[in-house]
Amino acid sequence: MCGIVGYTGGRQAAPVILDGLTKLEYRGYDSAGIAVSNKSGNIDIVKAKGKLQVLCKVTHNGENLDGFCGIGHTRWATHGEPSENNAHPHCNEDNTIVAVHNGIIENYVPLKEKLIRRGYKFYSETDTEVATKLVDYYYKKYNDPLRALTEFALHARGSYALAVLYKDYPGEIFAIRKDSPMVVGYTDGGAYLASDVPAILKYTRNVYYTDNYEISRLSANGVKFYNLDREETEKQPSVITWDAEAAEKGGFEHFMLKEIHEQPDVVRNTLNCFVRDGEIDFGELNLSDEDFKNFDSVIITGCGSAYHVGVVAQYVIEDLARIPVRVEIASEYRYRNPVLTGKELLVVISQSGETADSLAALREMSAKGIKSLAVVNVVGSSIARAADAVFYTKAGPEISVATTKAYSAQLIAVYLLALKLAKVRKTITENRYKGFLKELATLPEKISGILGNKSEIQKFASEMMDRKDVFFIGRGIDYATCIESSLKLKEISYIHSEAYAAGELKHGTISLIENGTLVLGILTQNSLVEKTISNLKETESRGAYVAVLATEDVAGIPANFRKLFSLPGVDGHFSASIAVVVMQLFAYFLSVLRGNDVDKPRNLAKSVTVE
Ligand code: M6R
């Protein structure tokens, strides 16, 4: 996954592009590059291995590069190791066509072989160089910059957001996308292109979300769009309402910490958008009460943390709405041959809305005629556009690779879905329904309370920083919180951890418990805590150091168990929303203490647009 930025207009292009790329580093950060059409009409390219800062240094923040039109790229390697050679932009032999690309050209090997047969030579291992030379081939054949891109689209398979500079068209950027995000912005004197809005928000709030196979043509005079027949098309612009500050760190040391602290607001905003006058209002969802009555089951899919939200949802929806729910890992589900009745509701959960496996699972199911609801944070993203209905979470841009606030907003989405289904299907009384909505409204304050006492969690983290293994155990919704807690810990602290349904540990994995192994028990489900406490004791008697995260009203916790934090009382259906905050902070502090790059953990990228 990568980030691309383009600019053409009255300003010096390189500083604008580099500034935009800094907002996209969450999309990739192993190398970066920039290309600018200079005053003499040639295209200058500068690339650097490593984080964007290296490129900024080499180019003096872009000041060294003349010219008013250019494209830039921050890379997360897919084909070929991170190196200057493999970094984008890529160019044709005489440097007259230069391109940056986000995505994967799946058939790049046969395309490359074909181009080699026609005399092309290659200097890198990338699919992007193949894409660039494919554009070059068709440009030379038809002498038409639009035709070169439509031919590219006809011959390339895979996903791409491709932005191209042609030396013959100085001051213009041509771009095409399929299944990789691209937004185009404009002002009076210029036009912008980026993989994501924060990259251009400083310059414009007027944007177009481009569609698959749509060609964008940017110049200082404005933006034009074309279809695959190269006919100009009309397009509706959107206005971005986000505060530019929302994409910045806002005084916190890391985006992750800032985003953890935004959770009370995010939960409140998401609730306020969908609960009005004590009623869930799904008016903007394009799903009627009749639809909710007629579904015979719910299938939830997603990846990573989004999948974990699905696990919480399974417990909550089944318990409240009495409808069968299955949760499926998207990368598996897309290749399954499930038995379907045709009356299922498919719920695809994704912060970015661009996760390749989730998108593919959605497409597979849509092709089988299954109605879909996307729970997505990024407006206009691919999953949002491919689904029949969209619940937009109101988390705002999430920069840290480890998701926190988007996860919390997704939880609210699935709680509301559970309550909506329960109400329409009459599986809970009106009183209970109202009571649950009131309970949900207390979550922001309860989360704020945890954030106000975070030093307790920091202290615990400092005592645990040398642990090699951590086990999270719990039952029911606490198990769902465990899997998310364990992922958080792994991805940013690099400490090995496992999450287990408490009763399952003794079926093999308990053999890994040694003297001093940290076992964290989550205890928020009243009817299950006794059982989990017994399982914790089993680990303690094998040498584990046991700590518990429990709601304040849980009784019977052995005196020798360490109390990590006492959670405020909450209805058990919604306890994941508060328990997870403690675990996010635990992982965060461990990551800081161990000197890790919290917001950009090794080997990871914010949104995974490849299989
Ligand atoms: O953008 P998505 O929600 O589809 O992303 C899914 C996962 O890649 C994501 O949740 C990942 O597991 C996070 N880095 C976890 O913090």
Side-chain angles (χ1 to χ4, degrees), residues 92 97 107 110-111 114-115 118 120 130-156 162 166 230:
N92 63 350
I97 292 181
N107 58 337
L111 288 173
K114 179 174 153 183
L115 289 165
R118 289 182 162 81
Y120 279 84
V130 177
T132 310
K133 288 180 173 164
L134 193 64
V135 171
D136 174 71
Y137 173 75
Y138 287 111
Y139 181 66
K140 292 204 163 103
K141 187 164 178 181
Y142 297 109
N143 198 26
D144 176 347
L146 296 177
R147 177 84 189 256
L149 291 191
T150 58
E151 290 295 331
F152 162 81
L154 287 175
H155 291 87
L162 184 78
Y166 294 91
R230 302 188 303 286

Side-chain angles (χ1 to χ4, degrees), residues 445-447 449-450 550-553 565-571 575 578:
E445 204 182 321
K446 287 172 181 161
I447 296 171
I450 296 168
T551 27
E552 57 201 5
D553 50 352
F565 200 89
S566 189
L567 294 167
V570 67
D571 183 281
S575 62
I578 55 170

Side-chain angles (χ1 to χ4, degrees), residues 12-22 34 36 46 51-67 202-203:
Q12 187 181 359
V16 175
I17 292 165
L18 291 177
D19 179 56
L21 288 176
T22 59
I34 186 167
V36 176
V46 186
K51 290 192 175 168
L52 185 65
Q53 272 177 346
V54 183
L55 181 67
C56 291
K57 207 167 164 198
V58 177
T59 60
H60 289 259
N61 290 323
E63 298 296 335
N64 284 358
L65 286 163
D66 282 339
K202 186 168 158 188
Y203 306 100

Side-chain angles (χ1 to χ4, degrees), residues 28 276 291 319 342 463 501 573:
R276 292 192 191 99
D291 289 327
D319 190 51
E463 290 166 29
H573 295 93

Side-chain angles (χ1 to χ4, degrees), residues 99-134:
V100 290
H101 162 229
N102 167 34
I104 286 194
I105 308 298
E106 284 171 7
N107 58 337
Y108 83 106
V109 173
L111 288 173
K112 188 170 181 175
E113 284 163 1
K114 179 174 153 183
L115 289 165
I116 288 172
R117 283 197 298 277
R118 289 182 162 81
Y120 279 84
K121 291 196 171 55
F122 287 85
Y123 57 83
S124 78
E125 301 154 76
T126 65
D127 52 343
T128 303
E129 188 191 353
V130 177
T132 310
K133 288 180 173 164
L134 193 64

Side-chain angles (χ1 to χ4, degrees), residues 302-307 349-355 358 383 401-404 410 484 487-488 491 604-608:
C303 301
S305 297
Y307 166 77
I349 305 177
S350 174
Q351 185 285 127
S352 62
E354 300 296 344
T355 301
S358 306
I383 290 175
V401 165
T403 182
T404 52
Q410 289 163 352
E484 173 59 9
L487 177 64
K488 260 334 49 108
E491 72 177 326
L604 290 172
K606 181 65 183 163
S607 101
V608 185

Side-chain angles (χ1 to χ4, degrees), residues 374-386:
V375 175
V376 163
N377 194 39
V378 178
V379 177
S381 56
S382 303
I383 290 175
R385 285 183 294 151

Side-chain angles (χ1 to χ4, degrees), residues 287-407:
L287 281 175
S288 66
D289 282 6
E290 213 42 41
D291 289 327
F292 283 113
K293 260 186 220 151
N294 289 337
F295 295 127
D296 67 2
S297 63
V298 179
I299 302 167
I300 306 178
T301 195
C303 301
S305 297
Y307 166 77
H308 297 161
V309 170
V311 180
V312 176
Q314 183 174 34
Y315 289 105
V316 181
I317 297 174
E318 283 200 338
D319 190 51
L320 297 182
R322 310 305 303 142
I323 182 171
V325 183
R326 275 155 49 194
V327 199
E328 306 281 354
I329 293 170
S331 55
E332 289 293 314
Y333 200 55
R334 61 181 293 187
Y335 295 115
R336 283 257 299 278
N337 185 13
V339 179
L340 301 167
T341 62
K343 290 176 79 181
E344 295 84 355
L345 169 66
L346 175 75
V347 180
V348 183
I349 305 177
S350 174
Q351 185 285 127
S352 62
E354 300 296 344
T355 301
D357 287 317
S358 306
L359 181 59
L362 167 61
R363 291 203 167 126
E364 285 293 319
M365 293 293 276
S366 297
K368 294 183 164 85
I370 303 302
K371 190 128 187 166
S372 57
L373 167 66
V375 175
V376 163
N377 194 39
V378 178
V379 177
S381 56
S382 303
I383 290 175
R385 285 183 294 151
D388 297 313
V390 188
F391 181 117
Y392 280 119
T393 49
K394 310 293 175 187
E398 189 178 65
I399 306 297
S400 180
V401 165
T403 182
T404 52
K405 61 175 182 168
Y407 171 87

